[in-house]
Amino acid sequence: MEFGFYMPTRVKIGKNCVLKNSDDFKIGTKALIVTGKSSAVNGALDDVLNVLNKNNTEFVIFDKVMSNPTVECVYEGAEVAVEEEVDFVIAIGGGSPMDAAKAVALLAVSDLDRIQLFGSDIGHRALPMIHIPTTAGTGSEVTPYSILTNHEKQTKKSIASDCLFPQYAFLDAKYMQSISHDVMVNTAIDALSHSVEGMLSVKANIMSDIVAAEAIRLISSQFKNLKEGIADKEILLYAAMLGGVVISQTKTTAVHAMGYPLTYFKNIDHGRANGLLLGEFMKYTEKYEPLRVKKILSVMGIENTAEFKNIFIELLGKRDNFSVDELEMYSYISEDTGGVKNSIHRPNVDEILEIYTKSLID
Ligand code: NAP
Ligand code: ZN
């Protein structure tokens, strides 16, 4: 046996966990709250402001984070952090505000240009962070990744460093009461995808597999409820966090790498993009690693990969339109990415095109 495991984020789960743990918010003297246009208006911002006022902690709000945050947005946030001399960051929202907050926390203390930002030498420092997820999908609250839209590369690119692990994550499903049906479905699929991909990663280990299997079991138990709009949000929030724990060890695979161009060029939601591709990637991997795939199917209580693919067809509804030319371009963009290289069986460019075509056109 040979493997390592690192998970430095202190996670607190449960109703009113922010209000009940106000002392944990004393990790600095002035906070930058990083959030999106609507992701804070669900009670989360009120609770945080309540706690900061109780602690006599100063704060500034940066609420300009859009879905799939851009490099420009995080430099703007970092400028505010420096000007306002904040010494910690509080992220409130889905994966977009949480990922933006990580890059802001990094850029607030490190003078990195746009090329260095995505390089391997970003240093080891970032402002301390508290993350409050308001979607049940990305698990970004427990990962060391920040994924940003990079127009120069015409896709989404990851920044990865242990210094991007938040110090605290507070998970309270009460913030998810007014979430839309589509966001609920897409984010649940993203969370499932993290755990499935974690089990199909070259970095999978016995511990990440245990966590992934539990997340897959929990999310699968909610598929029927998701369709009917009555999913248990607390279970999904917990399972999404477990999925984050998984990819913090294993990273994601070809599914995420191939999903990024769908989001970049067609504005397809991150979780939906993964869900459109996951079925065919499982079928592809089954040819080379049948036992791994069987293990995932058995956790879900299903017989075969056709049944697996069908779950996503039913959840995602009508497919988006793609041309062969578009899929060829996406195949070349995805081919040389870390995600593709991280897959237990690595598809070449022709196989990537085949997975795209079978997923999106056939
Ligand atoms: P999101 O872009 O953060 O949010 C999707 C939508 O839901 C937005 O319109 C958002 O509004 C809204 N929303 C969020 N919380 C809400 C709530 N409680 N009630 C009502 N509406 C709410 O989507 P996401 O799927 O959570 O995150 C996707 C991003 O995470 C992508 O950029 C993806 O690449 C990244 N990601 C990161 C990791 C990682 O490990 N770091 C892993 C997977 C994915 P606002 O826009 O107004 O906030
Ligand atoms: Zn994801």
Side-chain angles (χ1 to χ4, degrees):
M1 190 184 302
E2 190 178 358
F3 74 96
F5 207 93
Y6 182 57
M7 175 40 60
T9 305
R10 192 180 292 276
V11 179
K12 300 202 175 176
I13 305 180
K15 193 153 192 219
N16 295 325
C17 58
V18 168
L19 297 172
K20 285 178 184 165
N21 292 283
S22 53
D23 279 355
D24 293 342
F25 284 72
K26 294 178 178 168
I27 58 171
T29 56
K30 186 170 182 182
L32 179 71
I33 299 172
V34 177
T35 188
K37 279 278 162 296
S38 62
S39 51
V41 290
N42 45 50
L45 182 61
D46 290 344
D47 283 357
V48 166
L49 296 186
N50 197 323
V51 163
L52 294 179
N53 287 329
K54 179 178 168 202
N55 292 350
N56 281 323
T57 304
E58 283 185 81
F59 63 85
V60 191
I61 299 178
F62 178 72
D63 63 358
K64 294 187 183 167
V65 182
M66 66 293 281
S67 278
N68 305 299
T70 58
V71 173
E72 292 73 24
C73 167
V74 298
Y75 275 99
E76 192 183 336
E79 230 176 271
V80 177
V82 172
E83 267 167 25
E84 295 284 343
E85 298 182 353
V86 305
D87 55 6
F88 72 114
V89 171
I90 301 174
I92 303 175
S96 298
M98 289 196 286
D99 281 8
K102 291 176 183 175
V104 167
L106 171 72
L107 291 168
V109 293
S110 315
D111 194 13
L112 300 167
D113 67 25
R114 284 160 194 243
I115 294 169
Q116 291 168 320
L117 183 60
F118 294 100
S120 55
D121 189 17
I122 58 166
H124 306 283
R125 273 181 352 107
L127 292 178
M129 283 178 277
I130 295 172
H131 280 220
I132 302 169
T134 65
T135 61
T138 70
S140 179
E141 67 274 14
V142 291
T143 73
Y145 315 124
S146 164
I147 296 145
L148 303 177
T149 298
N150 185 334
H151 291 302
E152 276 161 36
K153 297 280 177 200
Q154 291 202 312
T155 189
K156 299 182 69 174
K157 298 287 282 179
S158 307
I159 310 167
S161 167
D162 282 353
C163 71
L164 298 183
F165 274 115
Q167 270 61 19
Y168 286 95
F170 291 96
L171 278 61
D172 188 339
K174 78 174 182 183
Y175 303 137
M176 292 166 47
Q177 289 322 311
S178 59
I179 221 158
S180 74
H181 177 75
D182 282 355
V183 171
M184 208 57 225
V185 168
N186 292 340
T187 48
I189 290 176
D190 188 30
L192 183 89
S193 197
H194 294 157
S195 292
V196 169
E197 290 178 61
M199 291 181 78
L200 300 179
S201 155
V202 291
K203 298 187 184 67
N205 62 50
I206 49 173
M207 202 161 152
S208 65
D209 275 359
I210 287 172
V211 182
E214 178 62 357
I216 292 169
R217 187 186 70 77
L218 289 170
I219 298 165
S220 306
S221 77
Q222 295 299 312
F223 282 147
K224 190 166 166 287
N225 290 347
L226 267 171
K227 262 185 268 177
E228 292 166 6
I230 52 165
D232 186 321
K233 292 174 173 155
E234 192 166 46
I235 287 184
L236 289 174
L237 188 60
Y238 167 56
M241 183 273 294
L242 294 181
V245 170
V246 172
I247 59 169
S248 70
Q249 314 301 311
T250 64
K251 300 190 170 168
T252 52
T253 66
V255 177
H256 267 63
M258 293 170 64
Y260 292 148
L262 305 190
T263 301
Y264 185 82
F265 290 103
K266 298 284 222 183
N267 206 20
I268 293 178
D269 270 9
H270 173 68
R272 180 178 173 83
N274 295 331
L276 290 167
L277 300 166
L278 200 50
E280 279 304 323
F281 183 67
M282 279 278 278
K283 286 185 173 187
Y284 166 80
T285 309
E286 188 180 27
K287 288 188 271 180
Y288 307 98
E289 298 282 351
L291 293 180
R292 283 260 105 192
V293 168
K294 202 163 177 218
K295 194 168 171 188
I296 294 168
L297 297 178
S298 79
V299 172
M300 295 175 74
I302 56 178
E303 296 290 322
N304 54 51
T305 44
E307 210 179 317
F308 178 87
K309 186 177 172 184
N310 216 31
I311 290 171
F312 303 100
I313 292 174
E314 280 185 18
L315 280 170
L316 294 172
K318 194 175 170 297
R319 282 191 310 197
D320 315 77
N321 289 324
F322 293 92
S323 69
V324 174
D325 285 353
E326 284 172 328
L327 299 188
E328 272 176 8
M329 175 181 60
Y330 305 163
S331 302
Y332 284 109
I333 291 174
S334 318
E335 182 197 5
D336 194 31
T337 54
V340 165
K341 292 176 193 158
N342 200 40
S343 311
I344 41 169
H345 198 274
R346 178 181 173 175
N348 63 33
V349 72
D350 295 330
E351 291 167 327
I352 292 172
L353 180 58
E354 196 181 329
I355 295 170
Y356 270 132
T357 308
K358 286 185 172 165
S359 303
L360 303 172
I361 293 186
D362 285 353

